[in-house]
Amino acid sequence: MSEALDQYGVIGHPVAHSWSPFIHGMFARQTGQALAYHLHDVPPERFLEHVADFAARGGRGLNVTIPHKIAAAALATELTGRARRAGAVNTLMFDGARTLGDNTDGAGLVRDLCSNLGLTLAQRRILIAGAGGAARGVVAPLLALDPLEVTIAARVAARAQALAADFGEASGVVLRGCALEDLRTGRALPDGGFDLLINATSASLSGEVPSIPDAAIGATATCYDMAYAPRTDTPFVRWARERGCERAVQGWGMLVEQAAESFHIWRGVRPDTAPVLALLAHGGGATAS
Ligand code: NDP
């Protein structure tokens, strides 16, 4: 590795499609920070060895993506509260013998929803479709916004229920886990539908949409897909628009905001996300309607 610049990167498998080098490159230029940021495509069996080597050679920080977020939480010597609650780490910072693990996904989503999109979520009804790693990372930050209720719905009810049980007692907000099928039968569908529907499944990656009934989309609902696709709508955004949803949004904002949070942790400087998001949303992917 070139020793002249502070070294950062994103580690995943596969990771070639990642926008993180582009985003952090823009942040570095914008803030005048001298750093290098590279892709690290590393399979699970080499994850620990690769991270140890990177840190031993002076590497300063790594973003962590699929499938390493849980392994990254296990290797950190210190976890932030939000990383501990999420049980997953997307940001590692190396400082001598100390390895700090943080999770900026939830903060990134909340900043996109509340600051960029201007949503008010207090006393609103939120649906999270999917109960995987990304869903786990955003539950606590969403509960902190004091919504009326949060429903987590997954293909397998037990997964959604287990996730809800992990966060429910502390929150004071009505938090339930159910099967996606329970939305279709109406058992878990509030009157008038949800105000915010978040697709935290990976269904978009295989061209699919989680099985959500049309009645789940409230009259003034926002449909938010954590997934994003260059120069096209994701299947979930297309699905929502076809059902009359006036605000259907891809996850570009979450991506840029979680990266900005990582950048701030590493460099102590908060970049301006607006120009980066504008470039990605208009050049990289379709905009919100
Ligand atoms: P995981 O693999 O941990 O979880 C994926 C979840 O999707 C599982 O609950 C799985 O259900 C569910 N799923 C997959 N296909 C379907 C389907 N057809 N119908 C219903 N459920 C389905 O992935 P992550 O949680 O890490 O990521 C989820 C999505 O969020 C991905 O698209 C990812 O790219 C995106 N993401 C975006 C970020 C951003 O910054 N914008 C940040 C992090 C993630 P089951 O358990 O039944 O298999």
Side-chain angles (χ1 to χ4, degrees):
M1 105 179 39
S2 155
E3 305 299 340
L5 296 172
D6 288 349
Q7 297 290 320
Y8 296 89
V10 55
I11 185 164
H13 187 63
V15 79
H17 63 282
S18 173
W19 289 87
S20 294
F22 174 80
I23 294 169
H24 283 280
M26 282 197 71
F27 288 166
R29 280 193 295 282
Q30 183 199 97
T31 58
Q33 297 283 308
L35 59 84
Y37 190 104
H38 297 294
L39 295 172
H40 297 254
D41 190 340
V42 177
E45 63 274 16
R46 290 205 297 108
F47 175 74
L48 291 179
E49 175 196 346
H50 188 93
V51 173
D53 182 57
F54 179 80
R57 295 168 68 189
R60 303 288 295 273
L62 288 170
N63 284 131
V64 182
T65 188
I66 293 173
H68 301 311
K69 288 185 181 181
I70 291 167
L75 82 72
T77 59
E78 195 181 313
L79 291 176
T80 60
R82 58 192 183 182
R84 195 174 311 109
R85 278 190 294 278
V89 154
N90 78 338
T91 305
L92 289 169
M93 184 172 78
F94 308 106
D95 180 17
R98 175 175 171 249
T99 300
L100 176 71
D102 199 353
N103 189 315
T104 66
D105 281 340
L109 174 67
V110 164
R111 194 177 280 265
D112 195 34
L113 293 172
C114 299
S115 301
N116 298 341
L117 299 172
L119 298 184
T120 301
L121 295 173
Q123 298 305 300
R124 299 292 201 271
R125 292 157 304 181
I126 300 175
L127 171 69
I128 302 173
R136 178 168 285 278
V138 303
V139 172
L142 287 172
L143 291 173
L145 299 175
D146 193 31
L148 185 64
E149 56 183 64
V150 175
T151 300
I152 304 168
R155 289 190 287 209
V156 178
R159 286 194 192 135
Q161 287 160 350
L163 184 50
D166 282 350
F167 291 91
E169 282 184 15
S171 74
V173 175
V174 176
L175 173 63
R176 68 172 72 89
C178 67
L180 283 162
E181 180 60 20
D182 295 333
L183 300 176
R184 190 160 295 285
T185 61
R187 273 200 298 273
L189 195 61
D191 284 346
F194 295 95
D195 301 300
L196 172 64
L197 294 82
I198 299 171
N199 180 21
T201 75
S202 49
S204 282
L205 302 178
S206 48
E208 294 171 13
V209 176
S211 175
I212 299 171
D214 297 1
I217 306 176
T220 58
T222 298
C223 288
Y224 192 99
D225 196 352
M226 283 193 186
Y228 41 85
R231 290 174 295 280
T232 186
D233 288 333
T234 60
F236 182 73
V237 163
R238 205 172 307 122
W239 170 86
R241 288 206 180 130
E242 285 168 1
R243 280 150 187 83
C245 177
E246 290 182 6
R247 189 175 240 178
V249 187
Q250 299 194 26
W252 291 108
M254 177 179 176
L255 178 72
V256 174
E257 296 297 346
Q258 61 80 26
E261 191 79 7
S262 296
F263 194 89
H264 181 242
I265 291 161
W266 290 331
R267 308 298 297 183
V269 183
R270 190 170 286 284
D272 180 5
T273 52
V276 183
L277 183 51
L279 254 182
L280 285 174
H282 294 108
T287 53
S289 61

